[in-house]
């Protein structure tokens, strides 16, 4: 299995609450839904290619709760896709309850558990949101690709995909395509450690 990160980010690296206004208001974040204005069919097609027919979700606990709660309430085809697909959920709490169908808890040494999943045959493990999880996997070489939809927008606040205290990671640009709305769809693969 390959671990693929698929995220919307602002030009200043914010990934918090791209989908709707009340998605994640932690720390007084008031720009929720910032990615919607630049929505483009090309992004949906590119995301679909990464998910393919055989894929599983890999979420941090906050992203799992937020995404599934929202879509199960909103309904629509994305709801069924989320519920029917296998979901692996990283949590620091070994007793965390996972209320949505087809969910498996990863706790304790999450990088080791992801490494075990990654060694299995099968489709992609797709991470959406889950910045803390992404940051925990990169130092262990457990991310195979980052597909970032970089929006032409500076938010100035919000939780970022990478923080000031993260380790340095060298990435190799594999592909970059602009959309009609000005979003850069950039595909990166980890290259080598930065010393």
């Amino acid at each position: 299995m390959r671990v693929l990160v698929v995220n919307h980010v602002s030009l200043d690296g914010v990934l918090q609450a791209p989908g709707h206004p009340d998605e994640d208001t932690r720390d007084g974040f008031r720009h929720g839904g910032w990615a919607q204005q630049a929505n483009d069919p090309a992004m949906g097609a590119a995301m679909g290619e990464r998910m393919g027919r055989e894929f599983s979700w890999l979420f941090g606990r906050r992203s799992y709760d937020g995404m599934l709660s929202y879509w199960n309430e909103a309904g629509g085809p994305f709801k069924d896709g989320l519920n029917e697909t296998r979901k692996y959920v990283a949590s620091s709490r070994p007793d965390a309850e996972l209320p949505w169908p087809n969910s498996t808890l990863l706790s304790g040494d999450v990088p080791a558990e992801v490494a075990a999943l990654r060694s299995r045959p099968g489709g992609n493990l797709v991470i959406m949101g889950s910045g803390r999880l992404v940051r925990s996997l990169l130092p262990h070489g457990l991310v195979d690709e980052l597909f970032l939809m970089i929006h032409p927008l500076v938010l100035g606040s919000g939780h970022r995909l990478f923080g000031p205290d993260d380790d340095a990671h060298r990435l190799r640009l594999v592909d970059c395509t602009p959309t009609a709305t000005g979003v850069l769809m950039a595909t990166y693969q980890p290259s080598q450690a930065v010393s």
Side-chain angles (χ1 to χ4, degrees):
M1 294 180 126
R2 294 181 347 129
V3 174
L4 308 183
V5 174
V6 175
N7 270 323
H8 293 274
V9 293
S10 66
L11 200 55
D12 54 342
V14 175
L15 82 156
Q16 186 173 356
H20 52 90
D22 58 348
E23 181 177 354
D24 181 357
T25 57
R26 280 179 296 159
D27 302 324
F29 188 67
R30 61 184 197 285
H31 304 297
W34 55 266
Q36 294 307 305
Q37 188 174 359
N39 203 4
D40 186 289
M43 292 188 291
M47 290 169 66
E49 288 171 13
R50 278 146 184 89
M51 292 173 198
R53 298 178 75 199
E54 270 189 60
F55 83 98
S56 300
W57 290 110
L58 177 56
F59 289 124
R61 179 61 195 270
R62 180 179 299 277
S63 294
Y64 167 84
D65 284 340
M67 195 174 301
L68 276 101
S69 295
Y70 175 81
W71 285 107
N72 273 290
E73 185 176 311
F78 203 52
K79 169 191 170 183
D80 294 336
L82 275 170
N83 284 319
E84 292 169 7
T85 302
R86 166 69 43 211
K87 291 166 285 299
Y88 297 96
V89 184
S91 175
S92 58
R93 292 183 34 227
D95 60 342
E97 291 184 22
L98 304 177
W100 311 112
N102 300 311
S103 299
T104 302
L105 180 66
L106 306 178
S107 193
D109 188 348
V110 170
E113 292 201 42
V114 171
L117 287 173
R118 195 169 168 249
S119 70
R120 295 180 187 173
N124 296 326
L125 286 167
V126 178
I127 302 174
M128 193 175 284
S130 310
R132 184 174 169 197
L133 175 62
V134 173
R135 291 189 298 274
S136 76
L137 298 178
L138 272 170
H140 299 280
L142 295 173
V143 173
D144 296 290
E145 178 180 292
L146 294 103
F147 175 68
L148 302 179
M149 292 161 282
I150 305 166
H151 291 249
L153 172 68
V154 175
L155 293 171
S157 67
H159 290 260
R160 288 166 169 74
L161 180 55
F162 302 108
D165 299 326
D166 291 331
D167 293 332
H169 301 282
R170 193 173 306 280
L171 303 174
R172 182 172 61 89
L173 181 66
V174 202
D175 187 45
C176 186
T177 306
T179 69
T181 59
V183 175
L184 291 178
M185 299 187 298
T187 304
Y188 295 95
Q189 292 175 346
S191 181
Q192 61 190 36
V194 177
S195 54

